[in-house]
Amino acid sequence: MKVGYLERAQILVEALPYIQRFAGQTVVIKYGGHAMVDDILKESVLLDILLLHSVGLRPVVVHGGGPEINRMLGRIGKKSTFVQGLRVTDEETMEIAAMVLVGKLNTQIVGHLNRLGGRAVGLNGQDARLFLAEKKPMRLINGEGFAEDVDLGYVGQITKMSPEIVVSLLDQGFIPVISPLAGGEDGLPYNVNADMAAGMLAGALKAEKLFLLTDVPGIMRDIHDPGSVISELSGQDVEKLIVEGVIQGGMIPKAECALLALEQGVPRVHIVDGRQPHTLLLELFSDVGVGTMLC
């Protein structure tokens, strides 16, 4: 349906209070999933980010790259193993992850934003010691009820964050685009979960909002029923749903990321469907609720 000029003007007027409210505020966007591989959705998300920047918000992008890493590993006949949504990362996988995240995806996102008229700058967590990490421990309970340590390889957990480089870029009018690699005090590189990196960075930057783009409509009571999306949750609700097993698999890191961001003072975290066009604009500049909001 074609929108007339008067309707377009009305849409802009209705968005004005939201633009005024969020102007000058920092928003962190975790960009990943299908929205990174579908050309139409990719264009939609990046245009949304550019629009946010153009009307006075300060967007920061933290991107993942799981599907592209899977494809690259598939080319060499290497299969991935996941434990609670985290990829077990040996030395060869770490090298490929770095090549994909920094050498390919980060460069592509920055180039695309700049071609659209933006001022994007690419970073990874090792730049200016943005993310400092250590090897992530993992302990699972086996079928006999005994605790068992699992070696995740070069999977790291962030222990310290130095966001000064990001703040400097924001103050100069740039859009930082960050890939989730981190350096360790041991001199080794680590692959850190992009959701957790985005959550911690949102807290460090005192962001107004954190957006997690996913391949599902939001947090659902029944993962087989898209109509069971929970529109709003508190931190306590999230913890309960994890214990009950309602939140499971790859949604667990996203939920834990949201809890971490809330604990660090981010007022709102939005888990939204990146497969739908313009979800960022709908969530920010309208009364239409999409996905799950945690507050």
Side-chain angles (χ1 to χ4, degrees):
M1 182 179 67
K2 188 176 181 180
V3 179
Y5 293 113
L6 184 58
E7 288 82 359
R8 293 183 188 181
Q10 186 62 36
I11 291 170
L12 291 172
V13 170
E14 290 175 357
L16 180 59
Y18 299 98
I19 294 173
Q20 291 173 323
R21 176 183 173 186
F22 295 118
Q25 300 291 334
T26 299
V27 293
V28 176
I29 300 155
K30 191 275 176 171
Y31 177 38
H34 199 66
M36 286 188 67
V37 297
D38 183 286
D39 289 339
I40 295 176
L41 290 175
K42 185 188 303 181
E43 185 89 357
S44 171
V45 170
L46 296 182
L47 283 171
D48 284 2
I49 292 169
L50 185 55
L51 178 60
L52 299 184
H53 183 259
S54 299
V55 298
L57 280 77
R58 292 155 56 100
V60 178
V61 181
V62 179
H63 69 84
E68 188 64 32
I69 294 173
N70 289 340
R71 275 195 290 273
M72 191 65 71
L73 290 172
R75 290 182 182 178
I76 64 171
K78 193 176 184 69
K79 293 183 178 180
S80 292
T81 301
F82 291 87
V83 178
Q84 292 188 356
L86 301 174
R87 185 193 307 271
V88 178
T89 306
D90 60 15
E91 185 174 0
E92 184 179 37
T93 302
M94 183 68 232
E95 291 177 357
I96 291 173
M99 288 168 52
V100 171
L101 291 170
V102 180
K104 182 177 182 181
L105 295 178
N106 191 274
T107 302
Q108 287 180 347
I109 295 168
V110 169
H112 201 153
L113 279 169
N114 289 338
R115 285 195 300 274
L116 291 172
R119 301 178 70 215
V121 175
L123 298 170
N124 75 77
Q126 297 179 96
D127 292 325
R129 295 171 66 88
L130 175 56
F131 302 149
L132 188 66
E134 64 183 15
K135 185 180 178 70
K136 182 177 178 63
M138 177 66 71
R139 175 166 290 187
L140 300 177
I141 305 298
N142 62 26
E144 298 177 352
F146 296 104
E148 181 179 351
D149 291 327
V150 178
D151 186 1
L152 297 174
Y154 290 86
V155 174
Q157 61 181 13
I158 297 173
T159 57
K160 184 179 179 182
M161 188 164 291
S162 301
E164 293 84 1
I165 182 66
V166 178
V167 174
S168 177
L169 290 171
L170 289 171
D171 289 344
Q172 295 177 72
F174 294 103
I175 303 173
V177 179
I178 303 163
S179 59
L181 296 183
E185 293 286 10
D186 53 11
L188 297 174
Y190 286 100
N191 183 17
V192 297
N193 180 267
D195 296 315
M196 296 302 290
M200 292 187 69
L201 184 59
L205 294 173
K206 296 180 173 55
E208 179 67 21
K209 287 179 179 287
L210 166 64
F211 290 93
L212 302 174
L213 297 181
T214 71
D215 285 344
V216 294
I219 294 178
M220 298 176 284
R221 293 197 180 276
D222 179 355
I223 61 173
H224 303 294
D225 180 12
S228 66
V229 173
I230 306 170
S231 60
E232 185 172 336
L233 288 170
S234 69
Q236 291 180 335
D237 294 332
V238 173
E239 293 173 344
K240 182 180 178 182
L241 291 177
I242 292 176
V243 172
E244 293 175 350
V246 175
I247 297 175
Q248 56 185 278
M251 186 58 74
I252 291 176
K254 298 185 191 303
E256 292 177 340
C257 153
L259 289 175
L260 181 63
L262 294 174
E263 290 170 359
Q264 293 189 353
V266 179
R268 299 285 187 273
V269 180
H270 302 266
I271 300 177
V272 296
D273 193 346
R275 300 169 301 174
Q276 301 299 320
H278 303 302
T279 51
L280 293 176
L281 299 187
L282 288 172
E283 194 65 44
L284 266 169
F285 297 148
S286 76
D287 291 328
V288 179
V290 292
T292 300
M293 179 177 71
L294 299 97
C295 55

